[in-house]
Amino acid sequence: MKKTLMASAVAAVIAFGAQNAMAAAPADWNAVTATDVTLFYPGVSPVEWITKGTEHGGARALKKGETCVGCHSEEATDMGVKMAGGKKLEPSPIAGKAPFINAKVQAANDGENLYLRFTWKQPTASGAAPMDAANPVKIAYMLEGGSKVELAEAGGCWGSCHGDARTMPGAADTKTKYVKDGSLANGVYYDLNQWRSGENKAFDGYVATERVMEGGQALVDAQGQLDGDTWSVVFTRKFAGGEGDVTLASGNLYNFGFAIHDDSATGRFHHVSLGYTLGIDAQGDITAAKQ
């Protein structure tokens, strides 16, 4: 019995090593197009606020099919300044909190794997007590296929941000992110990958009726490093995985958004992107061309 278990464990390690060996990120990222994305501090702006016309003037535009990035791409910096400073949608501003982060996103594929590289300069720390002392930085991205999640096409990850989720004012600490009518069986979910700096560990999960940080089979690897004042994180993800993994295919577009938890932040105290499209060998806001 012990020999059988040991043999199984060795086989699993060999298989994982072979999987990593076959997946190789671009040797020269300088040759891959970089897209500039401004992530901003969102304050308390859940999907309920986004879609309420009496509070958010853009709600009417959303109903007409316009996107958040179409209206606000040039305003992300200003929105972050207002919310981080407590002038709008933030009842508990953190003194010194960075209002925005300018990042670059690069994407490529080899026909079987997607490679995503995120780079940004480390903002000045606020000096506030750490919320997650074990992880000064976390970065996560979400993918959605089919535009079945509410606001996925118009607002990226915003479809998972609700006013009753943890760290929102008055919300229970046990309530995670979720999507309206979430269902893995019906394709109503976000695929979620995350990397944590302190643990130097990657997570492959999804957001449906709740956020689940494990169980995915598409994520191969995630590696991050701080070089001087600049972070770079590279995710390697197979085109196909298992439950909760969006299957990717050449020629298709996917809804995409990402967030950075800087300054040992948790929950809503992060910086977020607006919603973008990720194209696999197809023209999107961000294009992953075959190398």
Side-chain angles (χ1 to χ4, degrees):
M1 180 66 176
K2 289 183 178 179
K3 290 183 178 180
T4 301
L5 289 174
M6 184 175 292
S8 298
V10 170
V13 170
I14 292 174
F16 183 77
Q19 184 183 67
N20 277 290
M22 290 187 290
D28 182 12
W29 279 106
N30 290 324
V32 178
T33 299
T35 301
D36 293 317
V37 176
T38 297
L39 297 90
F40 62 97
Y41 181 75
V44 182
S45 56
V47 65
E48 291 83 6
W49 180 85
I50 295 292
T51 55
K52 191 173 182 179
T54 56
E55 296 185 11
H56 176 221
R60 184 178 300 175
L62 286 173
K63 291 179 181 179
K64 292 180 178 179
E66 296 185 30
T67 64
C68 296
V69 73
C71 290
H72 299 301
S73 62
E74 302 299 322
E75 303 172 353
T77 297
D78 292 337
M79 291 191 298
V81 169
K82 289 179 181 178
M83 288 183 269
K87 295 179 181 179
K88 183 177 182 179
L89 296 172
E90 180 48 80
S92 305
I94 298 172
K97 180 75 174 180
F100 60 88
I101 295 175
N102 291 320
K104 291 184 181 295
V105 185
Q106 295 165 281
N109 83 83
D110 61 10
E112 296 182 357
N113 300 282
L114 167 68
Y115 304 97
L116 287 169
R117 182 176 187 250
F118 302 87
T119 56
W120 70 96
K121 287 190 178 297
Q122 172 70 54
T124 302
S126 68
M131 300 176 187
D132 181 1
N135 296 291
V137 168
K138 298 187 288 285
I139 181 170
Y141 71 88
M142 290 189 190
L143 291 172
E144 194 271 349
S147 298
K148 294 182 178 181
V149 171
E150 179 187 34
L151 269 190
E153 185 172 354
C157 304
W158 241 273
S160 68
C161 180
H162 293 269
D164 61 351
R166 71 183 189 89
T167 70
M168 285 291 188
D173 195 47
T174 55
K175 187 77 169 181
T176 69
K177 287 180 177 290
Y178 64 94
V179 300
K180 181 181 178 181
D181 301 323
S183 168
L184 291 178
N186 295 326
V188 186
Y189 66 91
Y190 286 110
D191 187 350
L192 167 66
N193 288 166
Q194 184 193 67
W195 177 78
R196 300 178 185 177
S197 64
E199 300 172 49
N200 191 24
K201 186 177 180 181
F203 296 82
D204 188 350
Y206 60 86
V207 180
T209 55
E210 62 180 342
R211 186 185 66 177
V212 177
M213 296 300 293
E214 59 185 8
Q217 299 176 33
L219 185 63
V220 175
D221 188 32
Q223 295 290 330
Q225 65 176 11
L226 179 62
D227 184 5
D229 64 352
T230 301
W231 282 99
S232 63
V233 180
V234 177
F235 289 89
T236 301
R237 181 201 187 277
K238 293 183 293 183
F239 275 16
E243 185 175 69
D245 292 319
V246 170
T247 298
L248 307 180
S250 180
N252 290 348
L253 291 175
Y254 301 88
N255 297 312
F256 171 82
F258 67 106
I260 295 173
H261 280 87
D262 176 64
D263 202 23
S264 298
T266 59
R268 70 175 182 84
F269 299 98
H270 53 3
H271 295 82
V272 298
S273 76
L274 295 169
Y276 294 88
T277 55
L278 173 68
I280 308 297
D281 299 319
Q283 187 62 47
D285 297 317
I286 299 162
T287 301
K290 189 173 183 179
Q291 301 296 300

